[in-house]
Amino acid sequence: MSILKVSAKSNPNSIAGALAGFVRESGTVEIQAIGAGALNQAIKAIAIARGFVAPSGIELICIPAFTDVEIDGVEKTAIKLIVEPRRR
């Protein structure tokens, strides 16, 4: 599974393009965000990516969860958003 790490300064359009590409290729992507600003950018990116893949007949779903990540030797809690095409 591909992992995209998002910060508060990330460009949602760039993330959306990468997200759409990964979903088309492998089907499932994990987005990791630490903090409210990063989570906001990640959610915007998912909404934009839905518009990118919708003409292809792909509908995205998002499953939120917590995960622990290590940054500079310090363990932090991040939100992970698992994004995948809806299975019918």
Side-chain angles (χ1 to χ4, degrees):
M1 180 181 334
S2 301
I3 297 175
L4 292 173
K5 295 183 180 182
V6 176
S7 78
K9 296 180 181 180
S10 295
N11 181 338
N13 287 312
S14 298
I15 301 163
L19 179 60
F22 285 132
V23 166
R24 286 186 178 116
E25 282 181 20
S26 62
T28 303
V29 181
E30 180 180 316
I31 299 175
Q32 291 182 352
I34 299 174
L39 184 60
N40 183 47
Q41 298 303 82
I43 294 296
K44 284 184 204 175
I46 294 168
I48 294 166
R50 284 190 71 219
F52 290 166
V53 298
S56 305
I58 300 171
E59 185 178 354
L60 297 180
I61 61 168
C62 176
I63 304 163
F66 290 105
T67 189
D68 292 322
V69 295
E70 188 174 319
I71 299 173
D72 298 329
V74 178
E75 193 161 299
K76 296 188 176 205
T77 300
I79 297 279
K80 72 177 176 180
L81 304 168
I82 300 168
V83 180
E84 59 188 22
R86 182 182 299 266
R87 302 205 193 323
R88 301 220 171 206

